[in-house]
């Protein structure tokens, strides 16, 4: 049952000007300032509360700051329905980047608390999204 639910995991926060971004997404500068201030706290809490699906040895850097400070180790987080890069909470908090209304409604419907996924659920997601490792 879980497999059918996660077969349609959608991405959020992979802005096209990030090294790990998707070319079809908007850029960080374009998205900056689009999130209302009252949503910053709940959205950051939701994003930081996701389950780690994949991690790398690399670090994400602030692509909008010329000094390029390190943000966080780069990883992919998920709630089972959406996935996002670990630097997204930083961009939401610092630049109030806008996110799709569909994602915001989803997070709000869950009380701004992502579900904690079991190891089995994460393994299923990994297989569906990345195939055999």
């Amino acid at each position: 049952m879980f497999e059918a639910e996660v077969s349609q995991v959608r991405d959020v926060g992979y802005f096209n000007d990030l090294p790990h971004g998707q070319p079809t997404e908007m850029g960080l500068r374009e998205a900056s300032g689009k999130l209302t201030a009252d949503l910053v706290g709940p959205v950051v809490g939701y994003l930081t509360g996701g389950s780690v699906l994949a991690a790398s040895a690399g670090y994400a850097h602030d692509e909008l700051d010329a000094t390029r400070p390190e943000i966080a180790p780069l990883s992919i987080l998920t709630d089972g329905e959406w996935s996002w890069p670990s630097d997204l909470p930083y961009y939401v908090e610092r630049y109030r980047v806008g996110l799709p209304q569909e994602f915001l409604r989803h997070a709000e419907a869950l009380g701004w608390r992502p579900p904690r996924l079991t190891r089995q659920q994460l393994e299923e997601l990994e297989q569906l999204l990345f195939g055999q490792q």
Side-chain angles (χ1 to χ4, degrees):
M1 183 168 127
F2 182 75
E3 186 170 318
E5 294 171 10
V6 300
S7 65
Q8 298 180 22
V9 173
R10 297 183 330 189
D11 296 332
V12 63
Y14 291 92
F15 299 101
N16 68 24
D17 42 5
L18 294 172
H20 50 278
Q22 297 175 354
T24 57
E25 297 298 319
M26 76 170 62
L28 281 167
R29 281 182 179 76
E30 181 184 353
S32 291
K34 304 250 187 217
L35 188 68
T36 60
D38 62 313
L39 286 179
V40 170
V43 171
V44 168
Y46 190 87
L47 294 170
T48 57
S51 299
V52 175
L53 178 60
S56 76
Y59 272 81
H61 295 85
D62 186 332
E63 297 296 326
L64 296 178
D65 185 331
T67 63
R68 294 184 35 81
E70 288 183 346
I71 296 172
L74 188 56
S75 59
I76 298 173
L77 292 97
T78 188
D79 63 6
E81 293 185 42
W82 291 82
S83 75
W84 57 90
S86 57
D87 56 355
L88 184 56
Y90 170 86
Y91 288 114
V92 168
E93 186 167 44
R94 177 136 189 217
Y95 299 106
R96 290 187 20 232
V97 295
L99 301 176
Q101 287 299 311
E102 198 167 359
F103 172 77
L104 296 174
R105 284 192 298 272
H106 165 77
E108 183 179 29
L110 292 173
W112 301 108
R113 287 185 299 269
R116 298 305 292 169
L117 303 182
T118 66
R119 182 181 182 129
Q120 180 180 349
Q121 289 171 320
L122 288 168
E123 287 173 357
E124 288 176 24
L125 266 173
E126 183 180 22
Q127 285 296 315
L128 286 168
L129 297 175
F130 308 120
Q132 293 290 341
Q133 299 292 331

